[in-house]
Amino acid sequence: MTVCEYKPGLEGIPAAQSSISYVNGLEGILEYRGIPIQELATHSSFIEVAYLLIWGELPTQEELESFETEIRYHRRMKYQIGDMLKLFPNDGHPMDALQTSAAALGLFYARRALDDPAYIRQAVVRLLAKIPTMVAAFQMVRKGNYAIMPKDELDYATNFLYMLTEKIPTPYAAKVFDVCLTLHAEHTINASTFSALVTASTLTDPYAVVASAVGTLAGPLHGGANEEVLIMLEEIGSVENVRSYIETRIEKKEKIMGFGHRVYKVKDPRAIILQSMAEQLFSELGSDKYYDIALEVEKVVEEKLGAKGIYPNVDFYSGLVYRKLGIPDDLFTPIFAIARVAGWLAHWKEQLSVNRIFRPTQVYTGLHDMPYIPISERM
Ligand code: SDX
């Protein structure tokens, strides 16, 4: 067995072979099953993109309608999960509630029939259908309200915003939200997808796979950055404060949230699309001072760190869009998770054919043949 050189964070080390998505970090290219993200953001829908990612090709009209109907039917969650959400502290982070409730789905559906295509399809449909319901339910319950039941007649994005706010969103707001889901659906072997792969490689159930990935996405260096960006923009407070704030953080070697990427060394193509959506939203619904601050942050960071390939990533503008849609800041990352369930499931399904447990090696830096010292003799 050849042992590769140790690379912190596995930088540049392939952990999988995959045909699901492709990223070119120097040219700012992102493709899902070979289709450019710009095409999908303009012409597709999140449910169609989820089908494309998981089953590898665009669905026919009949396949799409059947998939969508199954998802609408499975949106409801077991009452026990709704009751469980009521036991959580209202000030708990929604990502922790989501990770717990995603794992809890396994209590009801985890029959591990991974060689049964019907079981795989059921798991895909249930996770795509129920994760939004659980996120919206926690939001309602932590405000002291009953969870809102899904409306079968509403499409995926409209139904989620309805369950979250008890109001039917405008078609424009629903479309913006649906595009955000498409943009966040998949991104090769990022940290949370890698978690999903490692967990899936033990042949556990797909609910545990998604719960593992949710826990990984929550971190501020990964999906949690979108919430941190708004905190940063609020700390800055005005366009005039941007330069000194950024210079101070760079001097302290503190990361600027929403910037940098292991793969992209140019502006993330998703950030470009999200920024243009933010501009449209603000022209439709009213300007936002934090957008002006964000533009100044991007200018100063590019001036200071552009040479190192530090540019806005997907998390820099997404929070501004979500906030304009009336979504609470601490739900930005759960919404990232709602979308990324499609990518995690696509890699889970692809990985099943590999059927080899992840078990990397290490470079041992410790000692050998050390004596056991009785506690009475230890200093
Ligand atoms: C996502 O992988 C994916 O595909 C993820 C994602 C997806 O769709 O799944 O795209 C989603 O997670 C986007 C990233 C969200 N996170 C953030 O915005 C947090 C801030 N960004 C950084 O923490 C960082 O850029 C990472 C974690 C995203 C990438 O880190 P790397 O590849 O390990 O880079 P690094 O930490 O080794 O940094 C390399 C250099 C360092 O400088 P030097 O020590 O070499 O002088 O670049 C600097 C870093 O200090 N650097 C930054 C920076 N990011 C890197 N400096 C300031 N601000 C930053 N944001």
Side-chain angles (χ1 to χ4, degrees):
M1 174 182 76
T2 51
V3 177
C4 305
E5 180 198 347
Y6 167 60
K7 299 285 278 181
L10 294 181
E11 182 160 7
I13 304 285
Q17 286 187 143
S18 177
S19 58
I20 298 168
S21 66
Y22 167 74
V23 172
N24 179 318
L26 297 178
E27 296 175 31
I29 295 171
L30 170 58
E31 295 168 343
Y32 291 171
R33 297 288 185 184
I35 304 175
I37 190 65
Q38 294 82 357
E39 287 291 286
L40 293 167
T42 306
H43 302 296
S44 189
S45 68
F46 172 68
I47 289 299
E48 183 179 74
V49 162
Y51 188 102
L52 168 71
L53 291 168
I54 295 164
W55 276 284
E57 54 194 19
L58 288 169
T60 63
Q61 184 67 41
E62 189 185 347
E63 286 166 337
L64 182 60
E65 283 170 6
S66 156
F67 188 51
E68 196 148 25
T69 303
E70 286 175 69
I71 287 174
R72 289 172 193 246
Y73 179 78
H74 284 281
R75 282 169 172 167
R76 283 162 188 72
M77 62 185 171
K78 294 288 185 190
Y79 78 85
Q80 295 96 323
I81 293 184
D83 289 351
M84 179 182 73
L85 292 173
K86 293 172 193 162
L87 301 174
F88 296 165
N90 292 342
D91 59 353
H93 198 286
M95 281 298 273
D96 296 321
L98 178 57
Q99 184 178 25
T100 310
S101 38
L105 288 174
L107 293 163
F108 300 95
Y109 310 116
R111 185 175 58 87
R112 292 177 194 170
L114 300 178
D115 54 356
D116 174 0
Y119 171 75
I120 288 174
R121 180 160 180 121
Q122 266 179 6
V124 164
V125 165
R126 281 182 168 136
L127 280 157
L128 285 170
K130 296 181 193 301
I131 294 282
T133 304
M134 297 188 300
V135 170
F138 182 65
Q139 168 63 2
M140 294 304 284
V141 162
R142 71 174 175 175
K143 292 195 308 183
N145 303 322
Y146 283 108
I148 306 292
M149 294 303 286
K151 279 185 183 293
D152 290 355
E153 66 273 22
L154 299 179
D155 66 44
Y156 197 87
T158 306
N159 179 63
F160 173 71
L161 294 174
Y162 162 70
M163 292 190 296
L164 196 65
T165 63
E166 220 171 348
K167 296 188 198 76
I168 305 281
T170 64
Y172 176 70
K175 176 60 183 164
V176 168
F177 183 72
D178 191 80
V179 173
C180 288
L181 294 177
T182 289
L183 294 173
H184 286 83
E186 158 66 10
H187 209 250
T188 73
I189 311 300
N190 56 85
S192 55
T193 297
F194 184 50
S195 278
L197 284 175
V198 172
T199 308
S201 74
T202 68
L203 300 187
T204 185
D205 64 84
Y207 306 95
V209 169
V210 167
S212 167
V214 169
T216 307
L217 185 70
L221 293 189
H222 189 14
N226 53 19
E227 187 180 344
E228 295 291 330
V229 168
L230 270 294
I231 293 168
M232 176 180 74
L233 297 178
E234 284 168 348
E235 276 174 8
I236 294 172
S238 73
V239 171
E240 294 70 31
N241 293 343
V242 168
R243 184 168 293 277
S244 59
Y245 180 94
I246 296 297
E247 287 172 346
T248 305
R249 282 201 66 159
I250 292 174
E251 274 155 33
K252 291 181 183 171
K253 282 227 170 268
E254 290 174 2
K255 300 280 175 66
I256 315 293
M257 290 292 120
F259 283 84
H261 200 277
R262 177 62 60 78
V263 182
Y264 290 121
K265 301 310 168 192
V266 294
K267 191 167 180 178
D268 187 324
R270 300 167 295 177
I272 294 170
I273 299 170
L274 281 160
Q275 184 177 359
S276 67
M277 281 165 56
E279 287 177 349
Q280 279 175 340
L281 261 177
F282 300 142
S283 64
E284 291 267 334
L285 306 178
S287 65
D288 183 321
K289 82 163 189 174
Y290 292 112
Y291 181 58
D292 299 331
I293 296 171
L295 290 177
E296 185 67 13
V297 167
E298 180 175 355
K299 192 179 105 200
V300 174
V301 172
E302 183 172 340
E303 181 192 305
K304 303 279 183 187
L305 300 173
K308 288 172 77 170
I310 311 292
Y311 289 89
N313 59 49
V314 68
D315 288 307
F316 187 57
Y317 288 107
S318 56
L320 287 165
V321 173
Y322 293 146
R323 186 180 270 187
K324 206 68 186 174
L325 295 177
I327 293 166
D329 292 11
D330 66 357
L331 291 185
F332 297 170
T333 310
I335 286 168
F336 194 149
I338 288 172
R340 192 52 61 89
V341 166
W344 295 331
L345 289 170
H347 284 276
W348 164 67
K349 186 169 171 291
E350 186 179 63
Q351 158 94 3
L352 289 176
S353 58
V354 173
N355 194 7
R356 188 148 173 72
I357 194 166
F358 272 88
R359 202 300 183 198
T361 183
Q362 64 171 12
V363 173
Y364 180 62
T365 58
L367 302 172
H368 291 288
D369 303 326
M370 296 294 286
Y372 177 78
I373 300 166
I375 195 161
S376 58
E377 295 170 23
R378 295 172 206 162
M379 294 345 163

